[in-house]
Amino acid sequence: MPMEDTKTLLKEMISVAGLSGHEAPIRQILERAWQPLTDELHTGRLGSLHARKHGLGKGPRPSLALVTHMDAIGLIVTKVNEAGLLHLDQIGGIDARVLPGQLVTIHTRTGDLPGLVVLPAAHTLPDDAASSAPTLPNLRVDTGLRPAAARRQIQVGDLVSFASQPLELDGDLLAGHSLDNRACVAVAHETLRLLQSRKHSWDVWAIATVQEEATLFGALTSGYALRPTLAVVIDVTFAKSPGTPGHKTYDLNKGPTLDWGSNTHPKLLAELQTLARKLEIPFQDAVYAGGHSGTDAHFMQVAGEGIPTAILSIPLRYMHTPVELIQMKDIERAGRLLAEFITALDDTFMDKLQLDDAANGEAQS
Amino acid sequence: MKDIIRQLVETTGPSGYENEVRAVVQKMLKGQVDSMKVDALGNLITRKGQKGQDGLTIMLSAHLDEIGIIATHIDERGFVRFTSVGGVHPRNAVGGRVRFLKTGQVGVIGMEPNQSATSVHGLDKMYIDMGASRRADVKVSVGDVAAFDRPFEDLGQRLVSKAMDDRIGVAILVETMKQLKATPHEVVGVFSTQEEVGIRGATTAAYGVDPDLGIALDVTLTGDTPQAATMEVALGNGPAIKVKDSGMISDPRVVAWMEAGAKRARLPYQLEVLSGGTTDARGIQMARAGVPVGCLSIPCRYVHTPSEMVDYGDVQNSVKLLLALLSKPVKLA
């Protein structure tokens, strides 16, 4: 089963750290995975991976970029205290409520160490802390090392990542850390894989961006460097789980969402919807609030002279926890839709995205 | 170097109105650098050295501006209402004195009656008393800017003033540009504008300079005062090499290079993770196709109050570390 390749890669991807700003471990996996699927591969100045598959059209060819961030949320050591316990700050937005009891890995200068996130005894905490959800300033990591050894081996600024292993659940579900956004890197991979046996005239950039969870600077700088003609940002969205409000969440296993909002080029979105309907690939309509999609699209859209951008999202449960959960089928559907979309791009496609109605002859009527 | 620091901190220059501070820096660096120019946003861009075979264009950035206030309304009795320029906390404003840039006049900040002895009003319920009894006697117009007025104090090893954020960085950059002799790099010393209102100067300066590597010079908080929030940075333990703050993640290759340089030069340093706040490095990192950046932080107590405190040893070691780093080729691992 060809999709198995993508699943195997995804499980490997969610078994490494690669926190925002420190993406080398995940980039190395993707260099190896994308090298045989693409014609050019290089690393951008901030560490984003740029892989290009050439189209069959005459040069200079237009290009579509698949933009997926590869960085993950995590923790960083801010202090090693007298007892040898570690104080923490977050990289990206961590849901601290789920941290106590988690197994973590501390990435020190001299190698990785195992550790546990612990909640100090209630009497040592502020008065209201015992009865409420724990907050990051009240959590510590215990490595079991004696204080002197901890202070010798661990430094301020060392990264702390989740140690949870990938977990396959019945019904083709996959759980683990960093599925935000490596499930979507898997979509880009699946798309590249499908394109191997197809003819397409446009170039395709697969961009694995850095720092999405922190600054969005990967998308901003790669957009500036590569200037793709079009971009489709692939990220995760909130899936329904028991107790979640229906109007803010989407179903697992009913396809990716195609997202409305001001980071989205309306005509590019419409083209994606039309194709999905034609091919009977299920998708869900989603709307992001406040004009900011909270994804790489926010900066990709305004990179250089501006890039028409669409957002495709994979529904995911328990976002920003070590037990994020997705449905593999949604990845497969998203990959198929994008591969079909790229295959259909031709010389006249950009005319369909014209926003100037006067140029379309519509304003005169 | 204390004279340079005194002169810089006692000059008034809220964000967007850095003219006087810039003029002081221009005078200090006259004849000391290869070139100086002022760009469209008021950044002072100074250069020294040629980019050799192993060299890079390295941008250093220290911001000229300081937090301050701007007048919004003057009432019949001459009381001036105001709002902040940059991050002015109300609790640090009451009883403070501000000096207006245009006239050099000083006023004191008062507050509407408040029954509570432990809380303060917002800035909207404060006013500046210029010592006048009617509006006609007040030489302040809506839109006039002022900065907090507090003299420089030399406590020996520790120095105190308003605007240490970031005139201490400016002083370090002035001294570094002056002392820099042999370098394989083109070193671009940028004295940036409008950092306190969103890193606006450094963002456009970095686009213009298009550096290969960027380092911001700015203050950071410390965890060495009673009941301070958790932070290992302390005054006097050396300049801090930033790993991360809330708006920027230092490039790990740049952090490693800075640490190795400090070790080689046998200079003290600290590693810094700052939970709130960011620097010009953020603006440099996002320029064009992206720039590897780091930040050399000067530990500072009481940031954004009129009595910001730094350690003189940290200041001197910052200059030494920069000179050591800039004198050798850079290999980012």
Side-chain angles (χ1 to χ4, degrees), chain B residues 42-94:
Chain B
N43 298 300
L44 174 63
I45 297 179
T46 69
R47 291 174 194 263
K48 203 165 185 178
Q50 304 283 324
K51 183 169 164 173
Q53 204 170 3
D54 286 338
L56 301 177
T57 297
I58 301 179
M59 172 171 163
L60 307 175
S61 188
H63 68 88
L64 293 167
D65 60 310
E66 66 190 288
I67 57 169
I69 63 94
I70 183 164
T72 55
H73 179 263
I74 299 103
D75 75 11
E76 285 308 309
R77 291 182 295 166
F79 292 111
V80 179
R81 296 286 179 161
F82 65 97
T83 188
S84 63
V85 176
V88 175
H89 197 291
R91 71 178 175 221
N92 300 327
V94 189

Side-chain angles (χ1 to χ4, degrees), chain A residues 47-129:
Chain A
S48 296
L49 184 64
H50 303 159
R52 176 150 68 170
K53 184 174 184 315
H54 293 161
L56 296 171
K58 286 203 185 98
R61 287 178 295 272
S63 62
L64 179 139
L66 301 169
V67 182
T68 65
H69 75 84
M70 62 176 162
D71 61 307
I73 57 169
L75 300 161
I76 186 167
V77 175
T78 57
K79 182 187 180 77
V80 184
N81 72 17
E82 319 71 51
L85 298 179
L86 314 181
H87 295 237
L88 307 162
D89 193 4
Q90 61 185 355
I91 291 186
I94 289 262
D95 190 338
R97 295 173 304 168
V98 302
L99 287 179
Q102 292 293 341
L103 308 181
V104 291
T105 304
I106 302 102
H107 305 273
T108 76
R109 310 289 171 102
T110 50
D112 291 355
L113 292 171
L116 316 164
V117 182
V118 297
L119 186 61
H123 70 275
T124 66
L125 294 174
D127 289 345
D128 55 347

Side-chain angles (χ1 to χ4, degrees), chain A residues 38-200:
Chain A
T38 56
D39 300 299
E40 290 172 43
L41 198 68
H42 69 271
T43 300
R45 296 180 77 185
L46 297 190
S48 296
L49 184 64
H50 303 159
R52 176 150 68 170
K53 184 174 184 315
H54 293 161
L56 296 171
K58 286 203 185 98
R61 287 178 295 272
S63 62
L64 179 139
L66 301 169
V67 182
T68 65
H69 75 84
M70 62 176 162
D71 61 307
I73 57 169
L75 300 161
I76 186 167
V77 175
T78 57
K79 182 187 180 77
V80 184
N81 72 17
E82 319 71 51
L85 298 179
L86 314 181
H87 295 237
L88 307 162
D89 193 4
Q90 61 185 355
I91 291 186
I94 289 262
D95 190 338
R97 295 173 304 168
V98 302
L99 287 179
Q102 292 293 341
L103 308 181
V104 291
T105 304
I106 302 102
H107 305 273
T108 76
R109 310 289 171 102
T110 50
D112 291 355
L113 292 171
L116 316 164
V117 182
V118 297
L119 186 61
H123 70 275
T124 66
L125 294 174
D127 289 345
D128 55 347
S131 57
S132 57
T135 58
L136 201 49
N138 290 324
L139 297 175
R140 305 284 179 266
V141 166
D142 189 344
T143 60
L145 293 173
R146 289 166 190 237
R151 292 190 73 87
R152 198 167 53 241
Q153 289 184 46
I154 304 164
Q155 296 193 70
V156 169
D158 283 351
L159 304 176
V160 179
S161 68
F162 294 126
S164 50
Q165 294 298 307
L167 176 66
E168 287 190 66
L169 297 170
D170 194 31
D172 221 8
L173 297 171
L174 181 66
H177 68 74
S178 312
L179 281 166
D180 173 5
N181 188 43
R182 296 183 187 155
C184 299
V185 180
V187 171
H189 181 79
E190 178 67 5
T191 308
L192 288 176
R193 201 183 62 74
L194 293 172
L195 287 175
Q196 301 303 306
S197 55
R198 286 166 197 249
K199 292 189 164 71
H200 54 95

